[in-house]
Amino acid sequence: MKDLTRYRNIGIFAHVDAGKTTTTERILKLTGKIHKIGEVHEGAATTDFMEQEQERGITIQSAATTCFWNDHQLNIIDTPGHVDFTIEVYRSLKVLDGGIGVFCASGGVEPQSETNWRYANDSEVARIIYINKLDRTGADYYRVVKQVETVLAAKPLVMVLPIGVEEKFSGVVDLLTRKAWVWDNSGDPMNYEIQDVPADMKDDVETYREQLIELAVEQDDTLMEKYLEGEELSIEEIQRCIRKGTRDLAFFPTYCGSSFKNKGVQLVLNAVVDYLPNPMEVKPQPEVDLEGQLTGTFAVVDSEKPLRALAFKIMDDRFGALTFTRLYSGKLSKGDTILNTATGKTERISRLVEMHANSREEIDSAQAGDIIAIVGMKNVQTGHTLCDPKNPATLEPMVFPDPVISISVKPKVKGGDEKMAMALIKMVQEDPSFHMVTDEESGETILKGMGELHLDIKVDILKRTHGIEVEVGKPQVAYRESITKRLEDSYTHKKQSGGSGQYGKIDYIIEPGEPTSGFQFESKVVGGAVPREYWTSVEKGFESSIGKGVLAGFPCVDLKFTLTGGGFHPVDSSAIAFEIAAKAAYRQTIPKAGPQLLEPIMNVDVFTPDDYMGDVIGDLNRRRGMMRSQETSAMGARIKADVPLSEMFGYIGDLRTMTSGRGQFSMSFSHYAPCPSNVAEEVIKEAKERQAAA
């Protein structure tokens, strides 16, 4: 039996280019997992093993690895920072017990840092903060600490102070022990000395140490009393308080360093062991029933309990399909039969592996608290629960956002449709935010994703991994349709063709629902005008119709249908007759209910040097953007705006041109809003032309 108190399941997350992957490399080197450090900028990082990652210097898919530090097992997931791949962060945080939030000392709290922090808050994941790149020009540890408070509304617990800054950064002072860790410039993380605090820092060290202790002892009334009475607390007592406060999300221990220069990472590793929770110290996973409602029971982390595991990532590689799985309770061994509650099917486990990026070690069994991969499972998707067939249960599932952008693709080689379809099916299984549909009218294959880069990478994977070159159509926006008026109407479906006929009459109200309310149906029929057994048929008829609006064929959203009355025939009425009546009623009434086109509006967060701020704002205004806020700092200006997605294609190129290559932006879906009439007319015209061509 493994000692679960010595387990740490952690993730590393941050904004693009804050140094997550470089930090992971340093951790692997320090823990003896790798012997040569691979650099991201050279395309040689261990956890960036996809060709697309190595070329672009960004992380695209989360990578899992296991290592050991101070007799503790660390299961680490390095996640992407780019906004198009936040799905990877979300699903990783869902199965982790703790995290390291990495921030750039010069860039500070950047757009994607906020999104990731929000995900971590939603998942109630305990975190420590690591402010990286202290050696960079413009680095300012204290400014970033302040930003964590103001931008993230979080409470940083300052654990170290930097010695020097920018090119003079040489180490850190550990406030608890009042000792300075100083590295030489050899680049070897083991070449450091523990020294006394530099004389010019003693006052600052005492001030910050006092603040640290005051914040920490709030977690323990007895120790707080002792401290207020002037007694000196032991380091172990303070650490006990810090551990409790970190676990309860009361504050976030904050460290700094330079991963690239190999300075400061040991203290972060010590903090992972000292302050982040083990699997038994986090809230157990809630279980749900078949309708997705909470049952009030939980998967308690205990290897003696029945098996409860969550598949959080599917990856296909040269060895076959890998299902990354977090075990919450019970044990799993080779040869076991498990039940997938989502499909109702059982499968036999043939191989289990412990992952190290894209290499793996075969293992015979795993237990509660482990993160492992199962080889060769069929019909498993992200978010499925794997459990003991004799004790079935479903864990709370993951919820993924809908894609907002689509492109059409067709193979360049004649007859390559089947090969492309097989490859795309695998890719859809791996990434729940990536969808593939076939347009019924044109027969085109449509790929849907979270942004231009997301789809660009998918096309690249098709080409390199699967050897399929495709022609790509221009990006299409995922418009929606809705209505603006409330209408009462009636429809009668009557068909007589020899033998028994079809008859169904419905009186109904169609009205706009609240934003994001989706499809709603209610029956207010009294007196049996429409028998109860036909109500679900009417609901089914309406619900199956909303996938196609009357303006341009886009899905119709936020509609409420109320069945108020109607009529039936004792012989000719049937479920199918009422379903057909509802479908025809939809086509009859929606055109009269003030239909309108809705467009996706994006949260756009732009960083630009001050000199270009006017140009950037002017450009966003031309793109129909609504400014939400603008802030200036020592590093430049940050502009937040709501901008229609249709106006954002190719924006990165324009931004780089405007800002001499120094601007950055991130974009995430915000909401749907009505299209201006001139834009709507153009979109409807294009949609009709496409339909006619098909």
Side-chain angles (χ1 to χ4, degrees):
M1 284 296 295
K2 297 175 185 173
D3 180 0
L4 284 179
T5 62
R6 296 190 174 275
Y7 265 49
R8 299 290 181 272
N9 291 318
I10 63 166
I12 300 180
F13 55 90
H15 185 86
V16 175
D17 208 28
K20 295 176 306 303
T21 301
T22 304
T23 302
T24 307
E25 288 291 308
R26 293 338 186 237
I27 288 172
L28 297 179
K29 170 73 173 135
L30 282 167
T31 56
K33 193 74 188 183
I34 57 173
H35 301 293
K36 177 184 181 296
I37 287 173
E39 299 301 356
V40 174
H41 60 274
E42 292 168 1
T46 309
T47 51
D48 281 353
F49 51 83
M50 289 171 67
E51 284 179 34
Q52 294 83 354
E53 295 177 310
Q54 292 162 5
E55 278 180 14
R56 295 163 198 250
I58 61 169
T59 302
I60 291 167
Q61 59 179 14
S62 46
T65 188
T66 302
C67 54
F68 292 85
W69 183 255
N70 289 354
D71 209 19
H72 284 68
Q73 179 171 328
L74 312 184
N75 295 321
I76 301 173
I77 294 184
D78 172 31
T79 63
H82 196 285
V83 69
D84 283 10
F85 308 107
T86 44
I87 200 80
E88 292 282 344
V89 182
Y90 164 74
R91 61 176 168 185
S92 300
L93 283 167
K94 182 87 177 152
V95 298
L96 295 170
D97 305 324
I100 303 172
V102 181
F103 298 90
C104 173
S106 60
V109 176
E110 295 169 285
Q112 202 51 32
S113 319
E114 285 184 64
T115 307
N116 293 337
W117 197 264
R118 195 169 64 245
Y119 280 154
N121 284 344
D122 292 346
S123 300
E124 296 183 12
V125 172
R127 280 146 280 169
I128 56 178
I129 291 169
Y130 173 53
I131 297 170
N132 187 24
K133 302 194 178 184
L134 253 291
D135 58 313
R136 270 179 78 160
T137 306
D140 186 338
Y141 176 61
Y142 302 98
R143 177 173 59 84
V144 183
V145 168
K146 190 78 190 147
Q147 279 187 334
V148 169
E149 287 183 40
T150 54
V151 180
L152 301 180
K155 200 175 272 185
L157 182 72
V158 174
M159 301 295 294
V160 299
L161 297 184
I163 302 169
V165 75
E166 298 182 351
E167 74 277 0
K168 292 184 179 155
F169 175 67
S170 61
V172 297
V173 174
D174 182 344
L175 295 177
L176 275 186
T177 58
R178 294 188 180 96
K179 288 292 176 190
W181 292 57
V182 181
W183 282 262
D184 65 17
N185 289 322
S186 66
D188 186 334
M190 302 314 292
N191 284 358
Y192 66 90
E193 288 180 13
I194 295 181
Q195 306 170 354
D196 290 331
V197 175
D200 62 341
M201 289 184 68
K202 281 188 174 168
D203 289 348
D204 280 351
V205 167
E206 290 311 312
T207 304
Y208 275 94
R209 190 175 194 273
E210 204 170 297
Q211 289 174 9
L212 185 161
I213 296 169
E214 282 173 8
L215 198 52
V217 294
E218 286 176 9
Q219 302 299 313
D220 188 311
D221 292 343
T222 312
L223 289 179
M224 184 187 254
E225 228 169 86
K226 193 174 164 184
Y227 174 69
L228 292 173
E229 285 168 5
E231 282 188 58
E232 184 74 27
L233 300 181
S234 71
I235 286 175
E236 289 73 24
E237 286 173 324
I238 301 166
Q239 284 183 316
R240 200 166 69 237
C241 291
I242 296 170
R243 184 172 177 77
K244 182 179 183 300
T246 306
R247 215 173 59 211
D248 296 344
L249 310 184
F251 46 67
F252 304 92
T254 301
Y255 292 81
C256 68
S258 165
S259 296
F260 184 56
K261 296 283 178 65
N262 286 303
K263 296 173 183 177
V265 181
Q266 282 99 324
L267 286 93
V268 177
L269 278 169
N270 290 342
V272 167
V273 167
D274 291 340
Y275 307 127
L276 289 181
N278 66 53
M280 295 188 296
E281 291 175 314
V282 294
K283 281 186 184 173
Q285 278 287 309
E287 295 177 5
V288 296
D289 59 22
L290 294 172
E291 274 75 51
Q293 303 298 314
L294 294 170
T295 59
T297 52
F298 295 87
V300 180
V301 178
D302 182 345
S303 53
E304 299 307 314
K305 292 266 192 319
L307 175 69
R308 303 280 183 268
L310 190 70
F312 69 95
K313 179 178 169 63
I314 313 293
M315 194 171 97
D316 205 68
D317 71 1
R318 62 188 189 279
F319 299 105
L322 289 171
T323 304
F324 285 80
T325 307
R326 163 75 197 260
L327 272 68
Y328 285 101
S329 66
K331 294 191 199 76
L332 187 61
S333 302
K334 278 203 298 195
D336 284 356
T337 297
I338 53 102
L339 169 70
N340 178 345
T341 55
T343 61
K345 293 185 174 145
T346 56
E347 283 194 54
R348 193 167 174 277
I349 303 293
S350 57
R351 287 170 66 204
L352 298 173
V353 292
E354 198 170 74
M355 294 303 295
H356 174 51
N358 64 338
S359 63
R360 75 271 332 266
E361 274 168 49
E362 293 265 351
I363 53 174
D364 292 327
S365 63
Q367 64 167 42
D370 276 329
I371 291 178
I372 49 108
I374 307 170
V375 183
M377 291 200 80
K378 297 176 182 70
N379 307 316
V380 177
Q381 291 178 6
T382 299
H384 283 184
T385 299
L386 311 177
C387 65
D388 180 347
K390 297 191 190 82
N391 286 283
T394 304
L395 297 171
E396 190 177 35
M398 301 180 182
V399 180
F400 299 110
D402 288 330
V404 292
I405 183 172
S406 62
I407 53 172
S408 63
V409 291
K410 64 177 179 186
K412 285 185 177 174
V413 179
K414 211 170 181 184
D417 290 323
E418 197 174 326
K419 190 181 175 191
M420 183 180 79
M422 296 298 290
L424 286 171
I425 288 165
K426 284 183 181 175
M427 288 162 67
V428 167
Q429 282 178 328
E430 290 177 12
D431 182 352
S433 63
F434 175 59
H435 296 195
M436 171 190 77
V437 294
T438 303
D439 188 298
E440 286 175 19
E441 288 165 350
S442 66
E444 285 183 317
T445 299
I446 309 290
L447 307 185
K448 299 181 176 185
M450 304 309 295
E452 281 185 282
L453 178 65
H454 189 201
L455 293 179
D456 190 23
I457 298 284
K458 296 300 180 192
V459 170
D460 211 25
I461 291 171
L462 266 181
K463 178 181 169 184
R464 306 227 202 153
T465 309
H466 301 284
I468 301 161
E469 297 230 20
V470 293
E471 287 174 19
V472 179
K474 72 172 193 171
Q476 299 291 327
V477 175
Y479 290 99
R480 295 286 181 265
E481 296 183 25
S482 71
I483 58 171
T484 54
K485 295 178 191 165
R486 176 184 187 275
L487 274 188
E488 292 188 37
D489 213 339
S490 177
Y491 187 85
T492 305
H493 172 65
K494 197 190 294 186
K495 195 173 179 188
Q496 206 69 42
S497 54
S500 63
Q502 289 182 3
Y503 183 85
K505 177 176 186 286
I506 54 172
D507 302 329
Y508 55 91
I509 300 166
I510 296 183
E511 59 192 311
E514 290 295 314
T516 73
S517 61
F519 169 82
Q520 294 171 286
F521 176 82
E522 183 184 3
S523 175
K524 289 186 175 174
V525 175
V526 288
V530 176
R532 185 177 288 272
E533 65 262 30
Y534 298 138
W535 293 0
T536 53
S537 302
V538 175
E539 180 178 3
K540 189 178 169 189
F542 280 131
E543 191 169 12
S544 64
S545 300
I546 63 170
K548 199 162 187 184
V550 296
L551 292 174
F554 294 108
C556 225
V557 295
D558 305 334
L559 295 181
K560 183 174 181 188
F561 299 88
T562 307
L563 181 63
T564 56
F568 75 103
H569 187 280
V571 177
D572 292 349
S573 286
S574 63
I576 194 74
F578 277 97
E579 189 179 329
I580 292 168
K583 286 179 178 177
Y586 172 87
R587 291 193 298 273
Q588 168 185 286
T589 307
I590 293 290
K592 302 186 286 190
Q596 66 174 359
L597 199 67
L598 303 177
E599 62 181 348
I601 305 295
M602 310 302 282
N603 280 323
V604 177
D605 201 327
V606 186
F607 173 81
T608 171
D610 275 344
D611 301 353
Y612 308 106
M613 187 167 150
D615 292 344
V616 170
I617 290 174
D619 181 67
L620 288 171
N621 284 330
R622 278 191 295 279
R623 294 172 188 268
R624 300 192 281 124
M626 295 283 291
M627 296 304 131
R628 281 188 290 122
S629 69
Q630 53 197 71
E631 300 160 21
T632 51
S633 68
M635 293 305 297
R638 190 156 162 209
I639 301 150
K640 293 186 179 185
D642 287 340
V643 191
L645 174 63
S646 60
E647 304 288 348
M648 291 300 293
F649 293 135
Y651 181 63
I652 187 63
D654 295 346
L655 179 65
R656 283 177 181 152
T657 305
M658 267 185 292
T659 60
S660 303
R662 293 161 66 198
Q664 294 178 347
F665 90 104
S666 81
M667 182 170 79
S668 58
F669 174 72
S670 170
H671 61 281
Y672 275 95
C675 257
S677 56
N678 60 323
V679 176
E681 282 166 21
E682 196 59 38
V683 172
I684 292 166
K685 184 180 158 197
E686 277 183 23
K688 287 186 172 161
E689 282 171 1
R690 271 201 313 275
Q691 287 161 12

